[in-house]
């Protein structure tokens, strides 16, 4: 795993998955590697009542009912569609589910305007076709077709960004559970094996880009992942992801709790301002998601490590926040400047301490960006 920039969940947590499989006595649908109860435990973490002789840490933070509904859907005949705002952990949940169910989360199609039907069915190795003609050997199966042949989970990221032709091709796969290969005379149908399913994700902000047809919607169970609004849960997510970052970069640095509180409070303040805004010009372009908080903190930590004194400071955190969220000029800069003067400055005068340093760092960042 040391030579991978980012190991997939089944590699990263291989030891945990092997342990859970060894003690799993529950019923398993199809060819699942873990029972539904163990899949839930792997994702949400173990408790003392589970009776395990080792601790399984929580990996996804959210309502357990979302995880349970997702698991039940995968055990059914329908696909699973995780939908929500950017940065709500949809892709991470999809990866964890696939890793726990079949130990393979890498059969992924990325939906874009350029995604074609070939990306979800098959294409051809042109040189082999020229040399030997069309055959199963010269065919290049898509990740979805590979998942069908192996009876495992296929993933489709950003489903609503793909065109209607691609979405229509998914309908037959989800309903008929096979793909025809009309170019071949023999062995020209690939049937899905038991255990095959699709986990798709879609951003709710992409509504209207390529809306799903009613036929495709009927073949998915929808699980809506809300933005994390609970401060404690959001702090756990940010802390969990930050610890992963520090381990990956081999950085020995503690994130002061006061700075984590400032980061969380700043995002809460900016979300409240966006909710009360009367026009798009009064809202930051950023979605202000938990994922963006993690990005701000990562940027501040790396800046402190490489260009500072290896101590995370409020000034550095403020500079990272302003630099990450100021995407439009002058609109975003004006909103952030208003936040500094209207919210942070009174807070610094009242409490002082790290808020004062945060205000100074924010002002310097705004001045350099203007």
């Amino acid at each position: 795993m040391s030579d991978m920039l980012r190991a997939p969940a089944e590699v990263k947590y291989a030891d945990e998955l092997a342990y859970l499989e060894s003690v799993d006595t529950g019923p398993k649908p199809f060819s699942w590697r873990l029972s539904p109860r163990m899949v839930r435990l792997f994702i949400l973490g173990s408790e003392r009542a589970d009776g395990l002789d080792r601790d399984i840490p929580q990996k996804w933070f959210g309502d357990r009912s979302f995880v349970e509904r997702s698991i039940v859907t995968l055990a059914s005949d329908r696909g699973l569609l995780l939908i929500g705002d950017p940065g709500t952990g949809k892709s991470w949940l999809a990866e964890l589910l696939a890793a726990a169910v079949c130990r393979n989360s890498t059969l992924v199609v990325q939906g874009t305007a350029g995604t074609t039907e070939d990306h979800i069915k098959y294409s051809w190795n042109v040189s082999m076709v020229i040399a030997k003609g069309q055959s199963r050997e010269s065919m290049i199966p898509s990740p979805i077709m590979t998942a069908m042949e192996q009876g495992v989970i296929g993933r489709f990221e950003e489903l609503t960004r793909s065109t209607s032709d691609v979405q229509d091709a998914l309908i037959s796969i989800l309903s008929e559970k096979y793909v025809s290969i009309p170019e071949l005379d023999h062995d020209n149908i690939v049937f899905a094996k038991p255990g095959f399913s699709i986990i798709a994700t879609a951003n709710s902000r992409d509504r209207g880009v390529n809306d799903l047809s009613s036929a495709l919607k009927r073949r998915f169970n929808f699980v809506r992942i809300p933005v994390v609004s609970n401060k404690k849960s959001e702090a756990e997510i940010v802390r969990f992801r930050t610890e992963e970052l520090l381990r990956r970069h081999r950085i020995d640095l503690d994130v002061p709790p006061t700075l984590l509180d400032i980061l969380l409070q700043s995002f809460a303040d900016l979300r409240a301002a966006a909710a009360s805004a009367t026009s798009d010009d009064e809202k930051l372009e950023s979605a202000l998601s938990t994922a963006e908080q993690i990005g701000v903190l990562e940027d501040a930590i790396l800046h402190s490590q490489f260009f500072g004194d290896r101590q995370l400071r409020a000034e550095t955190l403020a500079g990272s926040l302003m630099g990450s969220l100021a995407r439009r000029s002058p609109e975003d800069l004006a909103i952030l400047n208003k936040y500094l003067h209207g919210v942070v400055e009174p807070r610094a005068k009242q409490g002082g301490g790290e808020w004062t340093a945060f205000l100074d760092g924010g002002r310097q960042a705004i001045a350099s960006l203007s």
Side-chain angles (χ1 to χ4, degrees):
M1 192 172 75
S2 59
D3 59 350
M4 295 184 190
L5 180 61
R6 182 192 177 279
E10 62 271 19
V11 175
K12 185 174 184 178
Y13 302 111
D15 184 55
E16 280 185 28
L17 290 166
Y19 166 75
L20 291 174
E21 189 171 356
S22 70
V23 299
D24 191 1
T25 59
K28 303 173 185 176
F30 310 116
S31 56
W32 285 27
R33 300 290 295 270
L34 294 177
S35 67
R37 286 184 177 275
M38 283 298 186
V39 173
R40 183 185 65 182
L41 191 149
F42 169 70
I43 295 171
L44 296 177
S46 60
E47 300 174 353
R48 183 172 297 179
D50 294 314
L52 300 180
D53 55 12
R54 62 173 288 180
D55 179 59
I56 304 297
Q58 187 172 4
K59 302 167 188 67
W60 188 83
F61 297 83
D63 194 313
R64 68 189 298 119
S65 66
F66 300 146
V67 176
E68 291 175 354
R69 178 169 166 76
S70 298
I71 295 169
V72 169
T73 296
L74 294 176
S76 73
D77 201 37
R78 300 166 70 84
L80 170 64
L81 179 61
L82 302 174
I83 186 167
D85 282 355
T88 49
K90 302 181 299 295
S91 297
W92 179 232
L93 177 57
E95 181 178 339
L96 290 171
L97 285 165
V101 168
C102 58
R103 300 286 184 93
N104 189 351
S105 65
T106 61
L107 297 173
V108 184
V109 173
Q110 180 64 49
T112 68
T115 302
T116 66
E117 192 172 332
D118 292 351
H119 291 114
I120 64 170
K121 287 188 173 180
Y122 58 90
S123 57
W124 299 97
N125 183 321
V126 177
S127 59
M128 287 186 66
V129 170
I130 293 173
K132 300 180 180 180
Q134 290 176 320
S135 65
R136 288 297 293 269
E137 289 72 28
S138 60
M139 190 177 73
I140 304 173
S142 71
I144 299 298
M145 181 178 278
T146 300
M148 295 175 70
E149 291 180 303
Q150 297 178 1
V152 296
I153 304 294
R155 295 170 53 202
F156 199 121
E157 291 288 309
E158 310 292 359
L159 179 59
T160 50
R161 294 190 181 181
S162 57
T163 62
S164 57
D165 291 343
V166 173
Q167 294 181 19
D168 289 344
L170 264 186
I171 294 176
S172 62
I173 291 176
L174 287 168
S175 59
E176 306 299 336
K177 300 295 191 295
Y178 68 80
V179 172
S180 297
I181 311 168
E183 295 91 341
L184 301 182
D185 295 328
H186 305 285
D187 195 16
N188 58 359
I189 299 180
V190 173
F191 292 96
K193 292 183 178 179
F196 165 71
S197 190
I198 291 177
I199 304 176
T201 64
N203 283 331
S204 52
R205 292 195 175 203
D206 286 340
R207 186 174 298 167
V209 176
N210 288 296
D211 287 334
L212 301 182
S213 68
S214 58
L216 187 55
K217 287 179 179 178
R218 287 197 305 271
R219 287 158 177 82
F220 278 109
N221 271 353
F222 283 56
V223 174
R224 297 187 179 274
I225 309 297
V227 174
V228 178
S229 56
N230 181 278
K231 191 173 180 181
K232 180 180 178 182
S233 297
E234 195 162 44
E236 289 175 337
I237 297 171
V238 175
R239 193 178 294 110
F240 173 76
R241 288 298 200 177
T242 303
E243 288 172 355
E244 284 191 329
L245 164 74
L246 296 176
R247 285 195 298 269
R248 190 167 73 222
H249 288 281
R250 298 186 178 90
I251 295 175
D252 183 18
L253 183 149
D254 292 326
V255 178
T258 52
L259 294 188
L260 183 57
D261 287 340
I262 286 176
L263 176 65
L264 294 169
Q265 187 60 55
S266 296
F267 267 73
D269 294 336
L270 291 168
R271 286 170 184 161
S276 61
T278 57
S279 69
D280 289 341
D281 288 342
E282 296 176 356
K283 298 178 183 179
L284 289 170
E285 189 177 77
S286 165
L288 297 171
S289 66
T290 305
E292 286 174 306
Q293 285 192 63
I294 296 167
V296 168
L297 188 55
E298 176 181 0
D299 181 84
I301 288 172
L302 293 177
H303 195 280
S304 301
Q305 182 73 11
F306 299 139
F307 301 111
D309 57 3
R310 300 190 177 185
Q311 297 293 320
L312 182 60
R313 301 191 183 281
E315 297 92 335
T316 307
L317 183 64
S320 296
L321 187 142
M322 299 300 156
S324 297
L325 300 185
R327 299 174 183 176
R328 300 174 302 173
S329 182
E331 294 89 348
D332 285 351
L333 288 174
I335 294 169
L336 291 169
N337 194 44
K338 181 180 178 181
Y339 168 66
L340 285 177
H341 288 286
V343 178
V344 178
E345 186 174 341
R347 197 171 282 156
K349 288 180 178 178
Q350 182 179 3
E354 297 288 15
W355 280 106
T356 301
F358 184 80
L359 175 62
D360 293 339
R363 284 172 170 168
Q364 294 174 19
I366 292 290
S368 65
L369 292 168
S370 299

